[in-house]
Amino acid sequence: MPLLADLISYLEDSSLADNIRENDLLFPLIESVHVLAICLVVGSILAVDLRLLGLASINRPLSRVTAGILPLTWGAFAVAVVSGGLLFISNATKYLGNGFFIAKLCLIGAAGVNMAIFHLIGAKDMSKWDNDARLPLPARLAGGASILLWIAVVACGRWIGFTMQPG
């Protein structure tokens, strides 16, 4: 893993990382953008998950709900990744030593796997149940798992700030 360690050192020692770390306004500005993007990601995913669970938008086909929401989700996710990456490079070594940061990344990965499994396996017959108020068990399980995973992502994200070692 020396190549990864070298890359992390390069990023953390860059002038961009120095500016983010040293500027009194830049880090809070980027962090605010990151938090707003995460709110949009989680909020829009929650709308889809609540439809999967049959708790919201039950009079709308799931395909219409997702078509209207997912472009916003992906755009906000891109902003969250970029802003999160900028925050990361400002103190990469400290972030990598923080268990909540590692947990957050793992949970985001698990949420992605949950989404992929749903779309590749669970939603293959969506045309048969797209208009049903109560969706099949795999769809409901995917929605419930997604809600739990994203709540855990947000919780870990908050705990990162409280558990980072100063200095």
Side-chain angles (χ1 to χ4, degrees):
M1 295 275 221
L3 183 60
L4 183 59
D6 290 345
L7 176 62
I8 289 167
S9 291
Y10 172 78
L11 292 172
E12 193 171 33
D13 294 337
S14 69
S15 60
L16 177 59
D18 284 340
N19 284 330
I20 294 168
R21 193 172 38 249
E22 302 298 327
N23 187 299
D24 289 339
L25 295 176
L26 200 51
F27 188 94
L29 177 65
I30 295 169
E31 187 174 37
S32 296
V33 168
H34 186 67
V35 168
L36 289 171
I38 291 294
C39 288
L40 283 172
V41 169
V42 174
S44 61
I45 289 172
L46 183 63
V48 173
D49 292 340
L50 290 174
R51 173 59 180 104
L52 290 172
L53 290 169
L55 299 173
S57 301
I58 59 173
N59 296 325
R60 295 182 66 205
L62 177 63
S63 59
R64 282 193 58 216
V65 172
T66 59
I69 292 175
L70 291 182
L72 170 68
T73 305
W74 283 111
F77 186 76
V79 172
V81 167
V82 170
S83 58
L86 291 171
L87 295 172
F88 171 75
I89 67 168
S90 72
N91 283 299
T93 306
K94 287 182 186 177
Y95 281 111
L96 289 173
N98 185 293
F100 290 108
F101 176 78
I102 301 301
K104 178 181 174 180
L105 293 182
C106 291
L107 288 163
I108 291 170
V113 168
N114 179 58
M115 176 190 65
I117 290 171
F118 171 71
H119 285 287
L120 294 175
I121 298 169
K124 66 181 179 206
D125 296 327
M126 187 189 305
S127 61
K128 295 178 186 174
W129 46 263
D130 190 29
N131 292 306
D132 296 346
R134 183 171 169 88
L135 302 183
L137 182 61
R140 295 191 317 264
L141 289 174
S146 175
I147 289 171
L148 293 174
L149 287 166
W150 284 105
I151 288 171
V153 166
V154 170
C156 286
R158 284 302 305 133
W159 281 325
I160 292 167
F162 294 114
T163 58
M164 288 285 284
Q165 297 300 318

